Amino acid sequence: MNVAKSAYRVFSANSSAACTELAKKITERLGVELGKSVVFQESNRETRVDVKESVRGQTIFIIQTIPRDVNTAIMELLVMAYALKTSCAKNIIGVIPYFPYSKQCKMRKRGSIVCKLLASMLAKAGLTHIITMDLHQKEIQGFFSFPVDNLRASPFLIQYIQEEIPDYRNAIIVAKSPAAAKRAQSYAERLRLGLAVIHGEAQCSESDMADGRHSPPCVRNTTGHTGLELPCKQQAPFPGIELPIMMAKEKPPITVVGDVGGRIAIIVDDIIDDVGDFVAAAEILKERGAYKIYIMATHGLLSADAPRLIEESAIDEVVVTNTVPHEVQKLQCPKIKTVDVSMILAEAIRRIHNGESMAYLFRNITVDD
């Protein structure tokens, strides 16, 4: 006996017209109309959502792209999800190509794991499933109490390399830090190319700030327990107890592990926001003999002066997907190119609605990708 599928609708939770372009592309591929709703900011900056059609008993997909105003976009998503929940929608599935606060997924000294907080807020608002792309850390999926489909943009970026980069067989995949080596290795293996790793940085990397417990304590010469608090706010050890001296980390000079001389260097990463590290990596690769430098990233946040810095740097081209709107940055810097990923997002929506397996979307994808 065939059971008819319930109807589904696709909404956009963005109040900005520039942020609804991806939603329009997805609905065009699905052959459906974008749901009727109004999302706006009141004069006191409160977010208001009005759903203009019935959603009772339907499966709802909310597409939310994240612009520079991250917190407003989050509130828009939360308010719309709750509005749909109270309107008796059957299932509410968030399509969030770039998941915000994903870099704040580790404890940093006396900070907080904001990504976990956001996951709890989304569940409380009524979301029952999330479709996203290239989470900063795959372990973020464990923060959620409902299913998360973490799609990959690498097939689209690899296709761009093969079709748009002349003589890509003479290229080498570069990881701008040892932490990005696994992702770079995945690209290199599928493209049958060599791998290089940039080791050493001029400033503290994200991994160094991940946990304050790795920082060495202040070393003081003490003879016993005095009951007095030391200037560095660390108590002296009890008599007879000698703590081992912890050596502070010291970064080595920047070096490139691998031969990039006379090659095309392709740096791969998941997010490109503050481009200082990428510009520094491009300079060292030029010094080592690379004659062209490309950057491939899934999420092009490109904040602050990123377009100007890219334009003035040794980078030849920056290729990002349209998970984040960046049309303004492209006008400022012609080196920025865009790859459309609406196809895989639309296919994910279709398969989830029809109850089909998602395995096809992850074919030839490695665990480290």
Side-chain angles (χ1 to χ4, degrees):
M1 178 178 177
N2 294 328
V3 179
K5 294 287 183 184
S6 61
Y8 79 98
R9 301 291 293 163
V10 180
F11 286 84
S12 173
N14 286 112
S15 58
S16 170
C19 296
T20 59
E21 290 302 316
L22 181 59
K24 291 177 180 177
K25 288 183 178 181
I26 292 173
T27 52
E28 286 175 3
R29 291 184 180 276
L30 290 170
V32 300
E33 293 183 358
L34 203 58
K36 296 180 177 63
S37 64
V38 178
V39 183
F40 61 97
Q41 310 297 318
E42 294 188 344
S43 57
N44 62 352
R45 302 300 296 168
E46 288 185 359
T47 299
R48 181 176 291 274
V49 173
D50 290 329
V51 180
K52 299 296 185 180
E53 57 184 287
S54 175
V55 297
R56 182 178 296 272
Q58 298 186 39
T59 297
I60 305 298
F61 293 87
I62 307 175
I63 301 173
Q64 180 70 327
T65 52
I66 306 298
R68 290 190 178 186
D69 192 354
V70 176
N71 295 328
T72 297
I74 291 172
M75 279 306 302
E76 290 172 348
L77 177 60
L78 292 171
V79 174
M80 173 163 276
Y82 192 68
L84 294 167
K85 177 183 178 181
T86 54
S87 298
C88 300
K90 182 180 179 181
N91 294 304
I92 304 172
I93 302 172
V95 183
I96 314 171
Y98 167 64
F99 194 80
Y101 286 97
S102 59
K103 285 189 174 182
Q104 298 190 46
C105 61
K106 297 179 181 179
M107 180 64 73
R108 294 184 178 179
K109 298 185 179 179
R110 297 176 185 84
S112 60
I113 306 176
V114 184
C115 194
K116 175 66 170 69
L117 171 64
L118 180 56
S120 301
M121 292 167 65
L122 292 173
K124 191 68 175 178
L127 289 183
T128 58
H129 194 146
I130 276 183
I131 303 171
T132 187
M133 180 168 283
D134 282 339
L135 287 170
H136 187 57
Q137 298 288 341
K138 298 175 184 62
E139 293 78 10
I140 290 173
Q141 296 175 77
F143 293 162
F144 295 87
S145 58
F146 49 76
V148 176
D149 286 309
N150 182 27
L151 304 177
R152 307 294 197 275
S154 58
F156 297 90
L157 297 175
I158 287 174
Q159 183 180 16
Y160 184 94
I161 292 172
Q162 293 172 328
E163 296 179 356
E164 302 296 333
I165 298 181
D167 195 23
Y168 83 92
R169 290 292 182 188
N170 188 38
I172 186 169
I173 305 298
V174 180
K176 71 178 179 68
S177 68
K182 287 186 177 181
R183 181 186 301 272
Q185 181 182 358
S186 175
Y187 276 72
E189 289 175 351
R190 282 182 283 172
L191 287 165
R192 310 295 192 270
L193 298 176
L195 176 66
V197 179
I198 298 176
H199 181 50
E201 298 179 22
Q203 57 185 12
C204 292
S205 65
E206 179 184 340
S207 59
D208 293 327
M209 300 184 293
D211 193 336
R213 291 174 295 181
H214 293 306
S215 301
C218 299
V219 178
R220 301 286 184 186
N221 293 324
T222 57
T223 57
H225 179 63
T226 61
L228 299 176
E229 190 171 336
L230 298 178
C232 64
K233 296 186 179 180
Q234 295 191 34
Q235 204 71 14
F238 288 100
I241 297 178
E242 293 185 3
L243 298 178
I245 298 176
M246 297 179 66
M247 301 299 294
K249 289 183 179 180
E250 184 176 349
K251 288 187 172 294
I254 296 179
T255 57
V256 179
V257 182
D259 183 16
V260 298
R263 312 285 286 277
I264 300 172
I266 303 176
I267 304 174
V268 297
D269 212 339
D270 60 331
I271 299 172
I272 176 169
D273 187 4
D274 182 5
V275 299
D277 289 346
F278 292 94
V279 171
E283 291 176 356
I284 193 70
L285 290 171
K286 278 288 186 181
E287 292 176 4
R288 296 295 190 276
Y291 69 92
K292 272 195 175 181
I293 299 170
Y294 291 81
I295 294 176
M296 300 281 167
T298 303
H299 310 296
L301 306 186
L302 302 170
S303 303
D305 293 332
R308 179 183 60 82
L309 294 174
I310 292 171
E311 186 66 24
E312 297 173 355
S313 71
I315 299 170
D316 292 282
E317 198 167 280
V318 174
V319 182
V320 295
T321 71
N322 56 345
T323 56
V324 177
H326 52 268
E327 294 303 318
V328 174
Q329 291 90 329
K330 287 179 69 174
L331 294 175
Q332 297 171 346
C333 177
K335 292 182 180 180
I336 301 172
K337 308 296 180 183
T338 306
V339 174
D340 182 22
V341 293
S342 61
M343 179 190 301
I344 192 171
L345 294 170
E347 181 63 14
I349 291 174
R350 189 193 69 80
R351 285 176 174 270
I352 289 174
H353 172 65
N354 293 332
E356 300 177 17
S357 171
M358 297 286 283
Y360 178 79
L361 302 182
F362 295 94
R363 67 194 189 284
N364 301 325
I365 298 296
T366 63
V367 176
D368 297 325
D369 190 6

